[in-house]
PDB file of all heavy atoms in Angstrom:
ATOM      1  N   TRP A 241     183.154-177.595  32.972  1.00  0.00           N
ATOM      2  CA  TRP A 241     181.727-177.494  32.585  1.00  0.00           C
ATOM      3  C   TRP A 241     181.374-175.993  32.449  1.00  0.00           C
ATOM      4  O   TRP A 241     181.763-175.141  33.284  1.00  0.00           O
ATOM      5  CB  TRP A 241     180.855-178.053  33.671  1.00  0.00           C
ATOM      6  CG  TRP A 241     180.865-179.528  33.873  1.00  0.00           C
ATOM      7  CD1 TRP A 241     180.011-180.473  33.345  1.00  0.00           C
ATOM      8  CD2 TRP A 241     181.797-180.241  34.671  1.00  0.00           C
ATOM      9  NE1 TRP A 241     180.366-181.712  33.788  1.00  0.00           N
ATOM     10  CE2 TRP A 241     181.418-181.603  34.625  1.00  0.00           C
ATOM     11  CE3 TRP A 241     182.894-179.893  35.489  1.00  0.00           C
ATOM     12  CZ2 TRP A 241     182.151-182.618  35.283  1.00  0.00           C
ATOM     13  CZ3 TRP A 241     183.591-180.820  36.145  1.00  0.00           C
ATOM     14  CH2 TRP A 241     183.220-182.214  36.051  1.00  0.00           C
ATOM     15  N   LEU A 242     180.641-175.689  31.408  1.00  0.00           N
ATOM     16  CA  LEU A 242     179.908-174.385  31.306  1.00  0.00           C
ATOM     17  C   LEU A 242     178.448-174.741  31.358  1.00  0.00           C
ATOM     18  O   LEU A 242     177.949-175.530  30.527  1.00  0.00           O
ATOM     19  CB  LEU A 242     180.256-173.688  29.997  1.00  0.00           C
ATOM     20  CG  LEU A 242     179.457-172.398  29.651  1.00  0.00           C
ATOM     21  CD1 LEU A 242     179.753-171.336  30.741  1.00  0.00           C
ATOM     22  CD2 LEU A 242     179.785-171.865  28.294  1.00  0.00           C
ATOM     23  N   LEU A 243     177.714-174.185  32.305  1.00  0.00           N
ATOM     24  CA  LEU A 243     176.341-174.584  32.584  1.00  0.00           C
ATOM     25  C   LEU A 243     175.338-173.518  32.074  1.00  0.00           C
ATOM     26  O   LEU A 243     175.647-172.297  32.164  1.00  0.00           O
ATOM     27  CB  LEU A 243     176.118-174.810  34.079  1.00  0.00           C
ATOM     28  CG  LEU A 243     176.790-176.018  34.706  1.00  0.00           C
ATOM     29  CD1 LEU A 243     178.274-175.816  34.895  1.00  0.00           C
ATOM     30  CD2 LEU A 243     176.150-176.368  36.031  1.00  0.00           C
ATOM     31  N   LYS A 244     174.217-174.001  31.629  1.00  0.00           N
ATOM     32  CA  LYS A 244     173.128-173.112  31.206  1.00  0.00           C
ATOM     33  C   LYS A 244     172.254-172.854  32.401  1.00  0.00           C
ATOM     34  O   LYS A 244     171.356-173.676  32.704  1.00  0.00           O
ATOM     35  CB  LYS A 244     172.372-173.739  30.042  1.00  0.00           C
ATOM     36  CG  LYS A 244     171.322-172.833  29.401  1.00  0.00           C
ATOM     37  CD  LYS A 244     170.600-173.513  28.265  1.00  0.00           C
ATOM     38  CE  LYS A 244     171.572-173.862  27.111  1.00  0.00           C
ATOM     39  NZ  LYS A 244     170.804-174.435  25.946  1.00  0.00           N
ATOM     40  N   THR A 245     172.489-171.811  33.126  1.00  0.00           N
ATOM     41  CA  THR A 245     171.712-171.521  34.343  1.00  0.00           C
ATOM     42  C   THR A 245     170.333-170.969  33.994  1.00  0.00           C
ATOM     43  O   THR A 245     170.085-170.476  32.896  1.00  0.00           O
ATOM     44  CB  THR A 245     172.455-170.503  35.228  1.00  0.00           C
ATOM     45  OG1 THR A 245     172.543-169.263  34.511  1.00  0.00           O
ATOM     46  CG2 THR A 245     173.824-170.967  35.553  1.00  0.00           C
ATOM     47  N   SER A 246     169.461-171.003  35.014  1.00  0.00           N
ATOM     48  CA  SER A 246     168.095-170.476  34.818  1.00  0.00           C
ATOM     49  C   SER A 246     167.998-169.049  35.368  1.00  0.00           C
ATOM     50  O   SER A 246     166.946-168.395  35.255  1.00  0.00           O
ATOM     51  CB  SER A 246     167.047-171.348  35.522  1.00  0.00           C
ATOM     52  OG  SER A 246     167.290-171.376  36.944  1.00  0.00           O
ATOM     53  N   VAL A 247     169.068-168.551  36.012  1.00  0.00           N
ATOM     54  CA  VAL A 247     169.135-167.172  36.533  1.00  0.00           C
ATOM     55  C   VAL A 247     170.357-166.467  36.018  1.00  0.00           C
ATOM     56  O   VAL A 247     171.357-167.102  35.730  1.00  0.00           O
ATOM     57  CB  VAL A 247     169.092-167.163  38.064  1.00  0.00           C
ATOM     58  CG1 VAL A 247     167.786-167.724  38.603  1.00  0.00           C
ATOM     59  CG2 VAL A 247     170.279-167.919  38.659  1.00  0.00           C
ATOM     60  N   ARG A 248     170.248-165.187  35.875  1.00  0.00           N
ATOM     61  CA  ARG A 248     171.379-164.369  35.379  1.00  0.00           C
ATOM     62  C   ARG A 248     172.353-164.091  36.548  1.00  0.00           C
ATOM     63  O   ARG A 248     171.950-164.010  37.712  1.00  0.00           O
ATOM     64  CB  ARG A 248     170.899-163.065  34.799  1.00  0.00           C
ATOM     65  CG  ARG A 248     170.115-163.240  33.502  1.00  0.00           C
ATOM     66  CD  ARG A 248     169.592-161.889  32.997  1.00  0.00           C
ATOM     67  NE  ARG A 248     168.824-162.005  31.792  1.00  0.00           N
ATOM     68  CZ  ARG A 248     169.336-161.849  30.564  1.00  0.00           C
ATOM     69  NH1 ARG A 248     170.623-161.523  30.410  1.00  0.00           N
ATOM     70  NH2 ARG A 248     168.586-161.944  29.492  1.00  0.00           N
TER      71      ARG A 248
END
Side-chain angles (χ1 to χ4, degrees):
W241 291 263
L242 175 63
L243 290 76
K244 188 180 294 186
T245 63
S246 63
V247 295
R248 292 176 180 266

